[in-house]
Amino acid sequence: MAAKKIEIVPTRTMACENEKQPVSPFLRQLQAVSGVVMYMIGTGANIAYPGVLLEQLRQPDSAVRLTPEHESWIASILGLALISGILTAPFCLQKLGRRLTNQLSTLPTLAGWALLLTAKDPIALLMSRSLQGFGMGLQAAAAPVSIAEYSSPKHRGVFLATIAFSFATGMLVAHVFGTILYWRTAAVACGSFYVVSLILISLSPETPPYLASTGKFNECRKSFRWLRGYDEDAEKELEILLNSQKKQTITTPKVSKLKYYADVVRKPEFYKPTVIMMFMFVLFQVSGMTVIPSYTVSIMNEVTGGQIESYTSMLMVDVVRFISAVIACIVINKLNRRTVLFLGIYISVASLFITSILLYLRDFGYIPDPYKWTPAISTLLYIFGKTLGILPIPWAIAGEIFPLEYRSLGSGISGLTLSLMFFLVVKTAPALFRAISVKGTFCVYGFCISICGVFLFFLLPETKGKTLYEIECHFKGVKDKAVQIEMSEKDRMLELEKVEEG
């Protein structure tokens, strides 16, 4: 009889609670995620802004005079500044939480855009870009973690894919505003996304996994149910989360920081995801993900042979990127993560090599003058491929792959790889263009993408449809997750029985 009562009581309670939630869990999750999404639109604008800024500053009547060296630093210094934000992020995520870290990350970026408005020399431009990069570094670690922890397994893929959509939207916005507006006015439009982001983040709760990891179990239940509702699957996932963290609190002995980190780096659930994410973010950067937006005008001018107006070709790239990002949001929720990633890799590598071959053939006179623009077709196909798979999947995996205990540390280390590669790839791009031209640079990028793809083919597991706890079990080598879930359910029933008897 007791067992029967235990089954009935929570069901009645859940039904009553569900009546109190006029807004669906999906919309609540969407609200929580939207603040991060708005920030990432700003990040896309940050990355793409040099593409229009530098073109306007090259004009004879420019308010700020730049040398080629200044230009390369303005485009690439975000990567160096990202490092400082990335190194700060693990502490902020662990000690301050996901929500407060997201809020704080908006402040330096807003300050950077404000400084850009008043800049009168290259030093001020570099300082403004550095402030933007620091904020982006904090958010680069916080964004995928926050989105993954806010989302249910059913919606996590599409929500994480919105990072790619946000980048593409921000790049399109920056280039459109930079084409029709003066660069200072365009900066106001781009910076406004961070104001909206701060407001939306402030309206959202802290993520349930972070609250559980800090022992705030009642607050965790409240946040989880606000986001996910009270259905049976959600309640099971909540109890598994709470039980795993209670067990972690009981069984983890206190040790020195040095010994703790020495033990952590030897654990497969830490080093395996970290290695995978390092390859992911190297792939992300060597695919030209941040180079193309920064130097779109000059790249497309060479690719089209000057037969398509520079700003027109730039907007063509942005439109293809935006449409591809929309498709990625749909595809990533329908197909496996690995399928989408490797489809993007195959398309990108083939397109880069085809573009290079066409450019070489054009240089040798095998393509008639009226058709000199044809390499633009394969270049746009390359933009489609990398935006479809190489842009969204690393961010989706970054939010899923790290165990809760090491999520802040793992995100920081992998983010450090991202920022270093950002700086190296963008800083060396002008030198590569001068030394081996766009066609040679595309060959280098295609070769590097292929190498990263081979490693990821053997290292990357499939994560679609799995809870964050199930992914953690995979890297720990725990095979029989059903037993653990069953034990968690027994613990939950015992807890309910005590409440009922009380």
Side-chain angles (χ1 to χ4, degrees):
M1 292 297 294
K4 187 175 181 181
K5 287 174 69 180
I6 293 167
E7 292 175 0
I8 294 172
V9 171
T11 304
R12 185 175 62 250
T13 304
M14 290 173 202
C16 293
E17 294 288 354
N18 268 319
E19 291 174 2
K20 299 177 184 177
Q21 284 198 313
V23 181
S24 71
F26 172 79
L27 292 178
R28 290 178 182 271
Q29 292 170 46
L30 182 62
Q31 176 190 320
V33 168
S34 61
V36 181
V37 169
M38 294 303 294
Y39 193 105
M40 287 300 174
I41 292 176
T43 295
N46 280 345
I47 294 171
Y49 188 70
V52 291
L53 172 67
L54 299 180
E55 284 297 313
Q56 290 196 28
L57 294 183
R58 290 179 188 131
Q59 301 304 314
D61 59 345
S62 169
V64 182
R65 308 303 300 175
L66 301 177
T67 66
E69 188 66 15
H70 286 144
E71 291 184 3
S72 69
W73 275 105
I74 287 171
S76 63
I77 200 169
L78 279 180
L80 280 182
L82 274 167
I83 296 174
S84 58
I86 289 289
L87 292 176
T88 308
F91 170 82
C92 293
L93 288 170
Q94 192 66 31
K95 299 297 183 181
L96 305 180
R98 289 32 163 167
R99 180 172 178 264
L100 185 54
T101 301
N102 286 327
Q103 290 172 314
L104 292 176
S105 68
T106 63
L107 303 182
T109 47
L110 283 170
W113 283 110
L115 180 58
L116 189 69
L117 291 175
T118 60
K120 296 180 180 179
D121 54 59
I123 300 301
L125 290 175
L126 290 171
M127 288 177 63
S128 71
R129 299 284 288 168
S130 297
L131 286 169
Q132 293 168 355
F134 176 76
M136 286 169 56
L138 285 175
Q139 190 67 7
V145 170
S146 301
I147 292 176
E149 293 184 357
Y150 277 133
S151 309
S152 65
K154 180 180 179 181
H155 305 305
R156 193 172 64 232
V158 69
F159 282 147
L160 285 167
T162 57
I163 295 178
F165 171 78
S166 304
F167 281 156
T169 303
M171 292 172 187
L172 177 60
V173 165
H175 285 164
V176 169
F177 285 155
T179 301
I180 62 178
L181 300 175
Y182 182 54
W183 61 272
R184 294 189 195 273
T185 309
V188 175
C190 293
S192 64
F193 288 103
Y194 295 104
V195 177
V196 179
S197 173
L198 179 58
I199 294 170
L200 291 172
I201 291 168
S202 300
L203 296 175
S204 303
E206 180 57 85
T207 68
Y210 175 76
L211 293 170
S213 70
T214 55
K216 299 176 181 177
F217 299 119
N218 289 332
E219 292 180 40
C220 173
R221 285 190 178 91
K222 184 178 178 181
S223 175
F224 189 96
R225 287 165 177 160
W226 186 89
L227 290 161
R228 304 283 294 279
Y230 294 79
D231 65 79
E232 185 178 352
D233 290 339
E235 286 296 306
K236 287 180 180 179
E237 187 179 343
L238 172 60
E239 293 309 319
I240 291 172
L241 169 64
L242 293 173
N243 289 331
S244 65
Q245 290 308 301
K246 288 175 183 177
K247 182 180 178 182
Q248 184 72 30
T249 303
I250 295 171
T251 58
T252 302
K254 291 186 177 181
V255 295
S256 67
K257 289 286 185 183
L258 183 62
K259 187 177 187 307
Y260 170 78
Y261 288 118
D263 291 339
V264 166
V265 297
R266 291 196 295 267
K267 292 184 177 181
E269 62 266 32
F270 174 77
Y271 70 76
K272 287 182 179 180
T274 302
V275 170
I276 288 171
M277 284 314 308
M278 289 173 72
F279 274 108
M280 279 283 196
F281 283 139
V282 170
L283 170 68
F284 183 87
Q285 293 296 354
V286 299
S287 68
M289 196 63 67
T290 48
V291 169
I292 302 298
S294 299
Y295 303 105
T296 305
V297 173
S298 56
I299 291 172
M300 292 305 293
N301 189 51
E302 182 171 340
V303 167
T304 62
Q307 293 191 343
I308 301 177
E309 199 274 328
S310 298
Y311 282 100
T312 302
S313 61
M314 178 181 70
L315 293 177
M316 286 168 54
V317 169
D318 289 333
V319 170
V320 170
R321 185 189 291 116
F322 179 81
I323 294 172
S324 304
V326 173
I327 295 172
C329 289
I330 300 170
V331 169
I332 200 172
N333 219 37
K334 301 292 184 183
L335 302 178
N336 290 337
R337 306 281 192 267
R338 285 175 56 92
T339 302
V340 178
L341 175 66
F342 291 111
L343 178 62
I345 289 175
Y346 297 147
I347 294 173
S348 299
V349 171
S351 302
L352 284 169
F353 286 136
I354 290 171
T355 302
S356 297
I357 292 170
L358 289 174
L359 289 173
Y360 278 114
L361 290 174
R362 190 179 71 188
D363 289 349
F364 288 124
Y366 291 106
I367 297 179
D369 288 348
Y371 301 101
K372 282 186 175 182
W373 57 270
T374 51
I377 298 174
S378 53
T379 302
L380 293 176
L381 186 60
Y382 150 64
I383 299 297
F384 169 77
K386 72 185 182 72
T387 308
L388 178 71
I390 300 176
L391 175 55
I393 296 300
W395 294 104
I397 298 296
E400 300 174 325
I401 202 168
F402 290 109
L404 178 56
E405 185 180 359
Y406 315 124
R407 201 162 287 161
S408 301
L409 180 61
S411 297
I413 293 174
S414 58
L416 184 62
T417 304
L418 172 71
S419 57
L420 285 171
M421 290 302 301
F422 184 118
F423 173 73
L424 289 173
V425 173
V426 177
K427 188 71 174 69
T428 58
L432 279 175
F433 293 151
R434 288 192 298 268
I436 57 178
S437 73
V438 169
K439 53 185 173 289
T441 304
F442 276 14
C443 283
V444 171
Y445 289 168
F447 182 69
C448 292
I449 293 172
S450 301
I451 293 175
C452 291
V454 169
F455 279 99
L456 289 171
F457 183 83
F458 294 102
L459 294 175
L460 181 65
E462 183 54 59
T463 60
K464 181 179 182 294
K466 296 181 180 179
T467 67
L468 299 179
Y469 182 70
E470 288 174 332
I471 297 169
E472 182 176 335
C473 287
H474 168 82
F475 286 108
K476 285 182 177 179
V478 177
K479 301 295 184 182
D480 193 2
K481 294 185 288 296
V483 173
Q484 294 200 13
I485 293 172
E486 184 181 345
M487 292 301 296
S488 298
E489 276 295 284
K490 288 181 180 178
D491 291 341
R492 174 172 170 253
M493 296 307 259
L494 287 173
E495 197 173 303
L496 289 170
E497 187 175 4
K498 288 179 183 178
V499 171
E500 181 68 16
E501 289 175 352

